[in-house]
Amino acid sequence: MKLDEIIITEAIIETFTKKFRDYLSSDVAIAGGGPAGLCAAYYLAKAKKKVVLFERKLSVGGGMWGGGMMFNSIVVCSEGKKILDEFGIRNKEYKKGYYVADAIEAVTTLASKAVKAGAQVFNLMSVEDVEMRKDRVTGFVLNWSSVELANLHVDPMTIRAKFLVEATGHPCEVAKIIQRKLGTRLKTRTGGIVGEEPMWAEVGERAIVKNTKEFYPGAYVAGMAANAVFGGPRMGPIFGGMLLSGKKVAQLIAKRI
Ligand code: 48H
C-alpha cells in the first residue's frame, strides 16, 4: 500500500481541529485528569452531558499510576470498591474493608471508560486562567503545556462551559487562580483556600466527599483539591475518596444542567 505523509499530516490536523472546535462550548469542563477528574468525566458523560477534560501531562491518571511510593497497587474502602466494580476494575479484599487493585488496571480502565462514554480528553494542555462574567466563572483559559514549560510568552485561548471542575489535585491550581484574581470570596469558612492538613486517612477520606462542592459560582472542586480548598487531611495511597468525589461532583452538576 502506498502511503503519503501529507495525507497523514492532514488527517491529524483536520481531525484535531474539528475536535477542539466542537468543545469550545461544553456543559462541563474539567481541569486535571487524575482519578477524580476521570471519574467525574465518566459519570457526566454517562448522564449525557457534554464534557471535556484538560490534562497538563502527556498521560492522564495523575497520582494513581504510582500507587503508594511507587508500589503500584491501590487501596480502597468498601464504598470505593462499589465504584471499582461499576468500572469493572478487578479488586481483592486484603483484610475486612480494605480492597486492593492494580494501579495500572485502575488508571487505564478509568480513562478508557470515560472516553468511551463520550468524554473528550485533551492532554498536553494546561489551564492557566479562568474566564469570568459578572460574578461567576464561565470558562478555562488554556495553553499548551510545552509553552508553559518553556516559559514562552505566547497568549492562551479560551473554552467555555456551564460548569467548571477543579480536579488538579494537591496544588488546587484553579482555586488558587480564582483566589488570586477574584479575591477571597470562595465559599469556604475563611473565604479563601483553607489548606490541606497532615495525614489522617480515615478523616481525610470522609472529608474529601463532604468537601466536594461548589467553591465559587460556576466552579466545583473534586478529589484532593477539595481537601486543599475546604480544609481536610491527606489520606495517602487510598483512592476510594477520589472516585467517590468524582462521582459526587458529576451528580451535583448533572442536577443543575
Ligand atoms: C491541566 C492540570 C493542571 C492544570 C494539574 O493529582 P491527581 O491525581 O489528583 P486527584 O485529586 O484526582 O487524585 C489525587 C491522588 O492522586 C493523590 O494525590 C492522593 C490520593 N494523595 C493522597 C496523599 O496523601 O498524598 O491528578 C491531578 C491531575 C494531574 O494529572 C495533573 O497533571 C493535572 O491534574 N493538572 N491539568 N491544567 N493547571 N494542574
Side-chain angles (χ1 to χ4, degrees):
M1 186 195 158
K2 277 174 78 176
L3 281 175
D4 184 341
E5 289 82 352
I6 300 304
I7 296 174
I8 296 170
T9 307
E10 272 174 0
I12 291 170
I13 294 174
E14 277 180 28
T15 51
F16 179 83
T17 308
K18 182 178 180 318
K19 252 189 322 201
F20 195 40
R21 242 195 114 118
D22 284 348
Y23 282 86
L24 295 183
S25 289
S26 309
D27 290 327
V28 188
I30 302 172
L38 288 173
C39 208
Y42 169 74
Y43 286 107
L44 282 160
K46 249 187 96 185
K48 303 274 177 268
K49 307 301 171 197
K50 186 175 177 189
V51 54
V52 61
L53 183 153
F54 300 98
E55 166 55 49
R56 166 179 287 145
K57 297 203 171 135
L58 191 53
S59 57
V60 290
M64 206 181 216
W65 294 106
M69 236 177 105
M70 301 205 287
F71 291 38
N72 67 358
S73 294
I74 58 153
V75 174
V76 301
C77 56
S78 328
E79 292 86 358
K81 176 196 168 33
K82 287 183 200 143
I83 299 195
L84 291 184
D85 291 342
E86 276 177 45
F87 274 91
I89 298 168
R90 292 168 299 171
N91 57 87
K92 270 202 180 121
E93 192 168 41
Y94 175 69
K95 282 197 175 160
K96 196 169 164 35
Y98 297 79
Y99 298 87
V100 182
D102 177 70
I104 311 305
E105 180 174 345
V107 174
T108 52
T109 309
L110 289 175
S112 166
K113 291 261 178 167
V115 171
K116 286 187 192 293
Q120 179 63 56
V121 174
F122 290 102
N123 57 343
L124 296 167
M125 285 194 201
S126 293
V127 174
E128 66 160 60
D129 206 342
V130 290
E131 181 199 61
M132 64 168 294
R133 290 289 182 274
K134 290 191 183 148
D135 52 3
R136 69 178 274 134
V137 287
T138 48
F140 283 144
V141 176
L142 302 165
N143 218 326
W144 294 113
S145 304
S146 49
V147 165
E148 184 187 62
L149 282 167
N151 205 14
L152 300 175
H153 184 164
V154 178
D155 274 358
M157 299 203 290
T158 307
I159 60 92
R160 193 163 292 154
K162 293 179 187 144
F163 290 99
L164 306 180
V165 178
E166 146 66 285
T168 66
H170 293 272
C172 65
E173 287 191 21
V174 173
K176 279 189 187 142
I177 293 164
I178 293 177
Q179 172 173 259
R180 191 176 73 243
K181 298 215 162 175
L182 300 174
T184 48
R185 288 184 287 126
L186 309 188
K187 297 172 180 229
T188 62
R189 63 184 157 79
T190 60
I193 292 167
V194 178
E196 185 186 296
E197 296 165 17
M199 182 84 81
W200 189 353
E202 190 182 327
V203 176
E205 279 279 274
R206 268 202 307 272
I208 280 285
V209 181
K210 188 169 146 267
N211 288 336
T212 299
K213 51 191 172 185
E214 195 175 43
F215 69 97
Y216 191 86
Y220 282 74
V221 62
M224 208 53 229
N227 277 8
V229 171
F230 284 99
R234 66 188 302 182
M235 67 296 295
I238 178 153
F239 282 83
M242 303 305 128
L243 306 177
L244 292 163
S245 170
K247 185 170 184 177
K248 179 178 170 186
V249 84
Q251 288 169 338
L252 292 175
I253 293 175
K255 268 195 237 152
R256 292 184 64 185
I257 299 176

